[in-house]
Amino acid sequence: MIVNGKAYRSIWFDKGAACVKIIDQRWLPHDFPIVELRNREAFIAAIRDMWVRGAPLIGATAAYGVATQMVIDPSDNSLQETCNLLLATRPTAINLRWALDEMKDLLEPLSERERAAIAFERATQICNEDVECNRKIGVYGLELIRELSIDKPLGAPVNILTHCNAGWLATVDWGTATSPIYHAHKENIPVHVYVDETRPRNQGAHLTAFELGQEGINHQLIVDNAGGHLMQHAKVDMVITGTDRTAANGDVCNKIGTYLKALAARDNGIPFYVALPSSTIDWTIDNGISDIPIEERDAIEVSKIWGKLDDGTIARVQISPDDTPVANPAFDVTPAHLVTGLITERGVCEASREGLLELFPERRKASSEEE
Amino acid sequence: MIVNGKAYRSIWFDKGAACVKIIDQRWLPHDFPIVELRNREAFIAAIRDMWVRGAPLIGATAAYGVATQMVIDPSDNSLQETCNLLLATRPTAINLRWALDEMKDLLEPLSERERAAIAFERATQICNEDVECNRKIGVYGLELIRELSIDKPLGAPVNILTHCNAGWLATVDWGTATSPIYHAHKENIPVHVYVDETRPRNQGAHLTAFELGQEGINHQLIVDNAGGHLMQHAKVDMVITGTDRTAANGDVCNKIGTYLKALAARDNGIPFYVALPSSTIDWTIDNGISDIPIEERDAIEVSKIWGKLDDGTIARVQISPDDTPVANPAFDVTPAHLVTGLITERGVCEASREGLLELFPERRKASSEEE
């Protein structure tokens, strides 16, 4: 998408520089540094230290990391070691393991001299597949926005609330929850987005507000507390969020606070949609609330907040008394009955096992075989 | 309550220093400066610049401001001018107007030489009345906590979630929502408090966490997003919040985000109580959602956050891109049907007109006369 008037993906191979480039997202929204990744160490640091984040982008970065290493040393040992090192950077990221398995399975049977070219081809393909998947989510989600826009007075925007950053910066391009919004904007459907700041890590304020501002999409940043009040006063027409993991029954695990917005949407008769690539569906889990473990993160995320001082320096301020005890669950689960629909790359479905199986019938076979 | 091992009120007359003293709350939780207020200008600054905040404390400060001025100049002109100047500091604070009207009505008929002594007597009485009112709220609320503690295993705490700061620092002592908690702690009923940080102004992180820490009460700071997840997993036994204004039908206007917690409490079968002095009941309003106007505050509260840098300096960091548009509603209204009960200085009642009138039967007469 657009930054400073120029189109970007979140990761790309620069032919001129003969290397992979990424946006070092740690400094957003205050700075927008482009970084060259030229060796394994750079890729490891980029994933481990969260220069890149978001499951799809992490997977794509790892794939390019393997490809880059195959130029330097295409041996079996190098391939194995690189996959191990990259996997260890963010051990819980599902897409990371998937991308590394893809690369290893593809490259292992090949001769050493074939590996680099094939590896770059597959890494680029992984990126393109992500972009295409998100584009489709956008096309299906666009229709939901279009329907709401029909009942609006001419020129009045469809008001969409989103939580966290399920934007293009978390994927290779388009994003998931943002893709319908970008598609609507491109079709000249007026939209206005309420951006939850998303404490504790402020991904909404840091990333989503940045993305939307750069694309010229009408938006307002709000604190996470504000959405209920806005819905109560008919200022929100729909909610679209992303998800980190979707249970097979349609329960949705997403950034902490999503559940509260789903409750408010239900209380005020506002549709609540979740946009997701089918890769986030965990077909083995049938009850998200009881069966998805919720990561408890470091207290410092709550007690100290990153931002820009008046002199432009990036710094962290402590908001609580010294040594205040903290609880910091990172995700919550929104039960399926609060979700109006799931927007996937194959279309929109009810948030239920039956709804998902209608879009992914091949899973019906798989699950009956398991039984 | 206790700070650094010593008992304080939030405002008091210091006989030795012959002046009124307050805590300059702007620097909490990072510093705890005691300030002497010796003339009208100091009182005006203290209220206007939010050295003191919270409706009851603002009223008490204004009363002492009038009394202090009566020592310096007890003339009619001085009395009138002082009341006008103090009223202009925070024009929307209901208790401020009430306290100033009290003082003016009391002092006007008196001779100039009588005014100072009577004024100090009444200001002190206003403080004591607030403390007594909050103490009673605590005694009634304590019984609700005690009931929940009975079903707990021996030594297991009653888990209470609170939002914003309805603590002793917002009143003269005890606080409203915190008073039942302090009373339970003094009775050795184990309690554990989840403290919502309460964006945008972080009153939970700055004030409630400070209060509870100083009193030695077990607590954890959480982001405003976390409460729903905690309730879903049975980690919260009850919610107690304060209120800025209670409609006659039991709708509760409180700090933005309260409504979301009430929804989560209802969804999980957790009791949601609101503690209030009857002075916050607006008997003229019968529908809080449609009839209570909600203040829209400055964007900077959302985009920039105050805190302590690593070197101890107090500074503000910007979390969003430059010039990000912001919406910042300061309060929301929780509909009465989500409120389990109102804890007042006369007891606990249902959040309804009938419930309130049972505790305040003198209003039944007043409202039938109005009809």
Side-chain angles (χ1 to χ4, degrees):
Chain A
M1 307 303 293
I2 301 291
V3 177
N4 302 326
K6 197 181 145 187
Y8 286 89
R9 285 185 172 186
S10 63
I11 187 167
W12 66 98
F13 183 76
D14 184 319
K15 281 183 188 157
C19 72
V20 172
K21 290 188 174 175
I22 58 158
I23 300 150
D24 181 354
Q25 299 190 20
R26 292 173 301 165
W27 311 103
L28 289 173
H30 311 298
D31 198 6
F32 183 75
I34 307 293
V35 174
E36 299 184 348
L37 301 181
R38 291 191 172 275
N39 54 49
R40 192 165 71 184
E41 289 61 45
F43 280 91
I44 289 169
I47 301 174
R48 183 193 56 210
D49 300 338
M50 300 182 74
W51 309 8
V52 293
R53 17 75 56 197
L57 175 54
I58 287 172
T61 306
Y64 270 128
V66 172
T68 298
Q69 176 67 13
M70 290 301 95
V71 177
I72 296 165
D73 175 359
S75 69
D76 282 359
N77 190 41
S78 159
L79 175 60
Q80 185 62 52
E81 194 180 59
T82 301
C83 289
N84 291 347
L85 287 169
L86 284 166
L87 185 62
T89 52
R90 298 284 303 272
T92 60
I94 291 176
N95 286 49
L96 178 59
R97 177 180 290 275
W98 171 83
L100 290 169
D101 285 349
E102 279 285 304
M103 297 302 282
K104 204 164 59 178
D105 293 350
L106 175 71
L107 301 175
E108 261 174 356
L110 302 180
S111 69
E112 292 194 1
R113 63 176 179 76
E114 291 173 301
R115 283 179 176 167
I118 299 283
F120 270 107
E121 195 178 284
R122 181 68 186 121
T124 302
Q125 199 179 38
I126 285 175
C127 290
N128 291 341
E129 286 166 3
D130 179 64
V131 175
E132 179 58 12
C133 176
N134 299 335
R135 189 191 65 78
K136 285 179 180 161
I137 288 170
V139 168
Y140 289 116
L142 163 63
E143 295 312 314
L144 301 171
I145 299 175
R146 198 197 302 278
E147 277 167 35
L148 290 169
S149 77
I150 291 167
D151 295 333
K152 289 270 168 183
L154 193 67
V158 176
N159 290 290
I160 303 167
L161 185 142
T162 190
H163 190 71
C164 200
N165 177 254
W168 72 268
L169 289 163
T171 64
V172 179
D173 210 353
W174 291 112
T176 54
T178 54
S179 187
I181 296 167
Y182 290 133
H183 279 83
H185 183 65
K186 284 180 197 300
E187 298 251 325
N188 295 314
I189 298 170
V191 290
H192 169 266
V193 184
Y194 287 109
V195 180
D196 276 2
E197 65 174 345
T198 319
R199 285 279 289 146
R201 292 177 63 90
N202 286 331
Q203 292 95 333
H206 291 173
L207 304 171
T208 308
F210 172 81
E211 285 194 13
L212 296 174
Q214 291 291 334
E215 280 281 332
I217 293 179
N218 196 5
H219 67 286
Q220 284 177 296
L221 179 66
I222 56 175
V223 295
D224 302 306
N225 284 321
H229 167 75
L230 296 171
M231 292 188 209
Q232 222 176 25
H233 291 267
K235 293 186 175 172
V236 177
D237 298 306
M238 73 190 303
V239 181
I240 312 180
T241 76
T243 164
D244 289 80
R245 199 163 169 184
T246 312
N249 71 337
D251 289 351
V252 170
C253 180
N254 191 43
K255 193 62 56 190
I256 190 82
T258 303
Y259 165 51
L260 293 170
K261 295 306 141 62
L263 285 170
R266 172 54 51 100
D267 197 44
N268 294 285
I270 293 165
F272 182 95
Y273 288 100
V274 178
L276 58 121
S278 59
S279 58
T280 71
I281 303 168
D282 188 335
W283 296 96
T284 68
I285 287 189
D286 254 328
N287 181 327
I289 295 171
S290 60
D291 293 353
I292 297 179
I294 301 297
E295 181 186 356
E296 176 81 20
R297 293 181 56 91
D298 199 307
I300 205 169
E301 290 187 348
V302 175
S303 59
K304 298 194 177 190
I305 298 176
W306 285 104
K308 184 173 75 168
L309 290 168
D310 286 342
D311 68 3
T313 319
I314 305 300
R316 202 163 60 172
V317 293
Q318 176 185 315
I319 58 165
S320 50
D322 293 345
D323 307 318
T324 292
V326 164
N328 185 19
F331 303 94
D332 63 23
V333 175
T334 299
H337 72 89
L338 297 179
V339 179
T340 309
L342 302 174
I343 311 172
T344 78
E345 73 272 23
R346 293 208 193 156
V348 180
C349 72
E350 188 183 89
S352 67
R353 173 169 277 275
E354 202 41 48
L356 282 167
L357 286 173
E358 274 172 32
L359 288 185
F360 300 92
E362 68 274 25
R363 290 287 169 175
R364 203 185 292 274
K365 192 159 164 287
S367 42
S368 63
E369 270 168 15
E370 277 162 24
E371 276 161 16
Chain B
M1 307 303 292
I2 300 291
V3 177
N4 301 327
K6 195 182 146 187
Y8 286 89
R9 286 185 172 187
S10 63
I11 187 166
W12 66 98
F13 183 77
D14 184 320
K15 281 184 190 157
C19 72
V20 172
K21 290 186 174 176
I22 59 159
I23 300 150
D24 181 354
Q25 299 190 21
R26 291 173 301 165
W27 311 103
L28 289 173
H30 311 299
D31 197 6
F32 183 74
I34 306 294
V35 175
E36 299 184 348
L37 301 181
R38 292 190 172 274
N39 55 49
R40 192 165 70 184
E41 289 61 45
F43 280 90
I44 289 170
I47 301 174
R48 184 191 57 211
D49 301 338
M50 300 181 75
W51 308 8
V52 293
R53 20 70 60 195
L57 175 54
I58 287 172
T61 307
Y64 269 128
V66 173
T68 298
Q69 176 66 14
M70 291 300 95
V71 176
I72 297 165
D73 175 359
S75 70
D76 282 359
N77 191 41
S78 159
L79 174 60
Q80 184 63 51
E81 194 180 57
T82 302
C83 289
N84 291 347
L85 287 168
L86 285 166
L87 185 62
T89 51
R90 297 285 302 273
T92 59
I94 291 177
N95 286 49
L96 178 59
R97 179 181 289 277
W98 172 84
L100 290 169
D101 285 349
E102 279 284 305
M103 296 303 281
K104 203 163 61 177
D105 292 350
L106 175 71
L107 301 176
E108 262 174 357
L110 302 180
S111 69
E112 292 193 3
R113 65 177 179 75
E114 290 173 302
R115 282 177 177 168
I118 299 286
F120 269 107
E121 193 178 284
R122 180 68 186 122
T124 303
Q125 198 179 38
I126 286 174
C127 290
N128 290 341
E129 285 166 2
D130 178 63
V131 175
E132 179 58 12
C133 175
N134 299 335
R135 189 191 64 78
K136 285 179 180 161
I137 288 170
V139 169
Y140 289 116
L142 163 64
E143 294 312 314
L144 300 171
I145 300 175
R146 197 197 304 274
E147 278 167 35
L148 290 167
S149 77
I150 290 167
D151 295 333
K152 290 269 166 183
L154 192 67
V158 176
N159 290 289
I160 303 168
L161 184 142
T162 190
H163 191 71
C164 199
N165 176 255
W168 71 268
L169 289 163
T171 64
V172 178
D173 210 353
W174 291 112
T176 55
T178 53
S179 188
I181 295 166
Y182 290 133
H183 278 84
H185 184 64
K186 283 180 197 302
E187 298 252 324
N188 295 315
I189 298 171
V191 290
H192 168 267
V193 183
Y194 287 111
V195 179
D196 275 2
E197 65 174 345
T198 320
R199 283 281 289 147
R201 292 178 63 90
N202 286 331
Q203 292 94 335
H206 292 175
L207 303 172
T208 308
F210 172 82
E211 285 193 13
L212 297 174
Q214 291 291 336
E215 279 282 332
I217 293 178
N218 197 4
H219 66 285
Q220 284 178 295
L221 180 65
I222 56 174
V223 295
D224 302 306
N225 284 322
H229 167 74
L230 296 171
M231 292 186 210
Q232 223 176 23
H233 290 268
K235 293 186 175 173
V236 178
D237 297 306
M238 73 190 303
V239 181
I240 313 180
T241 76
T243 166
D244 290 80
R245 199 162 167 185
T246 312
N249 71 336
D251 288 352
V252 170
C253 180
N254 191 42
K255 193 63 55 191
I256 190 81
T258 304
Y259 166 51
L260 292 170
K261 295 306 143 59
L263 284 169
R266 172 54 51 100
D267 198 43
N268 294 286
I270 293 165
F272 183 94
Y273 288 99
V274 178
L276 59 121
S278 59
S279 58
T280 71
I281 303 169
D282 188 335
W283 295 96
T284 68
I285 288 188
D286 255 327
N287 181 327
I289 295 171
S290 60
D291 294 353
I292 296 179
I294 301 296
E295 181 185 358
E296 176 79 22
R297 293 180 57 91
D298 200 308
I300 205 169
E301 289 186 350
V302 175
S303 59
K304 299 194 176 189
I305 297 177
W306 285 105
K308 185 173 74 168
L309 291 168
D310 285 343
D311 68 4
T313 319
I314 305 301
R316 201 162 62 172
V317 293
Q318 177 184 317
I319 58 164
S320 51
D322 293 344
D323 307 319
T324 293
V326 164
N328 185 18
F331 302 94
D332 64 22
V333 174
T334 299
H337 71 91
L338 298 178
V339 179
T340 309
L342 302 174
I343 311 172
T344 78
E345 73 271 24
R346 293 209 194 154
V348 180
C349 72
E350 189 184 89
S352 67
R353 173 169 276 277
E354 203 41 48
L356 282 167
L357 286 174
E358 274 172 33
L359 288 186
F360 300 91
E362 68 275 25
R363 290 287 169 175
R364 201 185 292 274
K365 190 155 167 290
S367 44
S368 64
E369 273 168 14
E370 277 161 27
E371 277 161 18

